[in-house]
Amino acid sequence: LGYRLLLELFSFDRPVIAAVSGHSIALGLFVTCSADYRIAIDGKYLCQANEVRNNMDIPPQIMEILKARVNKKYFYPAVFHADAYSVQDSIEVGYIDEVVSKDIFMKRVIEKAKELATLPHPFYANTKKSAHDDVRQKILKAIEKYENLADLK
């Protein structure tokens, strides 16, 4: 169900904003990366896909989201080496779009939500589908394979 939730967030036909109010690690990072726009509070917070460091692999259904979001220059250190990045550095990595101070955080999140809400429907949805449909199909295929394996047990 968690994988399907990530797919729904990633595929949602209206803009999804992640309000990142602290660390964004493991599943929290994948939720962040599933959003269309990510705003983080400025502070000593980290973004990290820490699975490899914790003796876990990153399954294809999540890897596709990372491949769609992470800057190619940072892909190996961020994903394979499980490097942690400050929220400020996470902008260049591709995890975060904007970092703001705590005192204006929710104001900025709401402001951005209102701005993106003005994008016309269905044109936003059609454009997003066109840009991400191949990724969405790969994620769905991986989820279905995972569910079929679970049914065999």
Side-chain angles (χ1 to χ4, degrees):
L1 292 176
Y3 296 141
R4 289 201 174 269
L5 172 65
L6 293 174
L7 177 60
E8 287 297 316
L9 289 171
F10 185 80
S11 304
F12 197 69
D13 65 356
R14 302 289 173 105
V16 174
I17 297 177
V20 182
S21 60
H23 298 296
S24 186
I25 298 172
L27 183 58
L29 180 70
F30 306 136
V31 170
T32 298
C33 287
S34 295
D36 299 301
Y37 198 83
R38 291 98 21 154
I39 301 173
I41 290 177
D42 193 11
K44 294 182 181 181
Y45 302 117
L46 298 176
C47 295
Q48 182 184 27
N50 67 350
E51 283 67 17
V52 172
R53 290 207 181 273
N54 289 317
N55 301 316
M56 300 168 65
D57 60 352
I58 298 175
Q61 53 271 38
I62 295 173
M63 186 63 74
E64 291 301 325
I65 294 169
L66 291 174
K67 289 189 322 192
R69 298 288 189 229
V70 176
N71 179 332
K72 189 170 178 77
K73 175 181 171 184
Y74 288 95
F75 194 81
Y76 269 77
V79 177
F80 292 112
H81 307 163
D83 287 356
Y85 297 92
S86 69
V87 288
Q88 298 85 357
D89 291 340
S90 290
I91 292 173
E92 190 172 342
V93 174
Y95 291 148
I96 299 293
D97 293 300
E98 184 177 345
V99 176
V100 298
S101 65
K102 185 177 182 175
D103 59 323
I104 65 162
F105 176 64
M106 283 312 297
K107 179 181 179 224
R108 179 63 185 136
V109 169
I110 292 167
E111 178 181 87
K112 189 65 178 181
K114 287 179 179 178
E115 173 195 329
L116 294 180
T118 66
L119 295 171
H121 190 73
F123 306 104
Y124 180 85
N126 294 342
T127 301
K128 185 174 179 180
K129 183 176 181 188
S130 176
H132 289 306
D133 199 48
D134 59 330
V135 175
R136 188 186 161 292
Q137 292 301 323
K138 288 178 185 177
I139 294 168
L140 185 57
K141 184 177 176 181
I143 290 171
E144 289 171 349
K145 182 178 177 181
Y146 180 82
E147 289 172 341
N148 289 336
L149 289 173
D151 288 342
L152 295 175
K153 290 183 179 181

